Amino acid sequence: MPDDRQDSLGFSVNYNDLGDKWTVEDKTPEIREYEKMQNPQKLGDVVKSISSSNIQINKINAEAGLGPNQKEINILQIKDSAKNGFVKSEIEKRIKLPTSVIDNIRKEFLEDDDIIVSNRGTIGKIAIYKADDRLILPSPQIFVIKADTEKVYPEYLVNILNSKFIQDKLKSLATGAYIPRLSKKDLESILIPVPSKKEQKSQTQEEFLKLKEQI
């Protein structure tokens, strides 16, 4: 099968590549991908933080429409979190909250270049948020990644996390028989290629900017 259709349960190996001593793990597509990686690093080592909201959505819903001086916020759920690599321009769930409540939870709202990763049910939906005038509160089923821009461009990171190899890896790390879940620890531990920033830019910037303009 072509490389992009193989997985660790079924793959081909050339007899001449085996050598005298080898194990099955040595020849899996996953290991081969790691061997090709340029400067592999753990995701947790190239980002400032990976977090999820502690806000109880039910409590937020109960406060909706109460009190004076209200402002609309968007509740970002997995089903409407990502489109073409970006947080959707139209989010289904919107409620109005008193500004006093909003001020108390302001640090929970998405900021420019935040990257979101779904961690429950549908694992691995990835998108980047380019700041606009909306207040977007991610649900607890979404991790928020803040890239360390000294090490990695957020746009490059989005492209890598959306690659087939990383997507397959995220799904393989999910646990739970009925509702798959991805832990923060497992997300932090995945290895990604981290080439020089010049190379990152050449790989993603032009393609990403074109996509942004189209949207």
Side-chain angles (χ1 to χ4, degrees):
M1 296 175 65
D3 287 345
D4 63 355
R5 293 182 59 199
Q6 298 179 27
D7 58 33
S8 295
L9 298 178
F11 56 93
S12 61
V13 180
N14 188 309
Y15 180 80
N16 295 324
D17 292 339
L18 294 180
D20 296 330
K21 295 180 180 179
W22 60 278
T23 67
V24 171
E25 184 182 22
D26 292 338
K27 306 302 178 184
T28 62
E30 182 174 353
I31 295 300
R32 289 177 175 180
E33 192 72 29
Y34 285 142
E35 290 173 349
K36 292 188 297 182
M37 267 192 190
Q38 185 177 359
N39 187 27
Q41 294 190 45
K42 290 182 179 179
L43 178 63
D45 292 336
V46 296
V47 301
K48 291 180 179 178
S49 65
I50 299 177
S51 62
S52 57
S53 176
N54 292 317
I55 301 297
Q56 297 179 7
I57 300 299
N58 289 339
K59 183 179 178 182
I60 289 291
N61 287 335
E63 293 174 319
L66 301 177
N69 303 321
Q70 296 185 21
K71 192 171 183 179
E72 185 176 77
I73 71 166
N74 298 257
I75 308 295
L76 186 64
Q77 302 173 92
I78 293 175
K79 65 179 180 179
D80 61 1
S81 58
K83 182 178 181 181
N84 298 327
F86 294 90
V87 170
K88 283 187 175 181
S89 57
E90 289 293 330
I91 294 175
E92 182 179 314
K93 188 173 178 60
R94 298 189 294 270
I95 61 175
K96 288 188 174 182
L97 290 176
T99 52
S100 58
V101 174
I102 291 174
D103 289 340
N104 288 335
I105 61 173
R106 191 163 291 278
K107 65 179 182 179
E108 302 285 346
F109 294 114
L110 290 184
E111 298 178 332
D112 191 40
D113 283 338
D114 279 353
I115 298 167
I116 65 164
V117 182
S118 59
N119 61 44
R120 186 176 179 184
T122 303
I123 301 296
K125 288 189 74 172
I126 312 288
I128 190 170
Y129 174 60
K130 292 297 183 179
D132 47 37
D133 58 356
R134 294 177 295 171
L135 291 173
I136 301 179
L137 179 67
S139 68
Q141 292 78 37
I142 292 174
F143 286 129
V144 177
I145 299 176
K146 296 184 182 294
D148 184 344
T149 53
E150 294 294 318
K151 300 176 181 178
V152 65
Y153 285 113
E155 295 87 352
Y156 170 80
L157 191 53
V158 168
N159 281 5
I160 288 299
L161 293 175
N162 265 324
S163 67
K164 182 181 185 302
F165 174 69
I166 298 299
Q167 283 289 306
D168 288 347
K169 185 63 178 176
L170 292 176
K171 290 174 176 62
S172 74
L173 291 171
T175 59
Y178 298 104
I179 302 177
R181 298 186 182 198
L182 177 67
S183 72
K184 176 184 172 183
K185 182 179 178 181
D186 282 340
L187 181 58
E188 289 174 332
S189 69
I190 64 168
L191 291 176
I192 63 169
V194 186
S196 68
K197 290 193 69 182
K198 181 179 180 181
E199 203 162 333
Q200 291 176 35
K201 188 172 184 178
S202 66
Q203 287 182 29
T204 62
Q205 201 75 353
E206 184 177 349
E207 177 185 347
F208 202 88
L209 289 175
K210 282 182 181 177
L211 179 60
K212 185 180 178 183
E213 286 173 5
Q214 288 172 8
I215 292 173

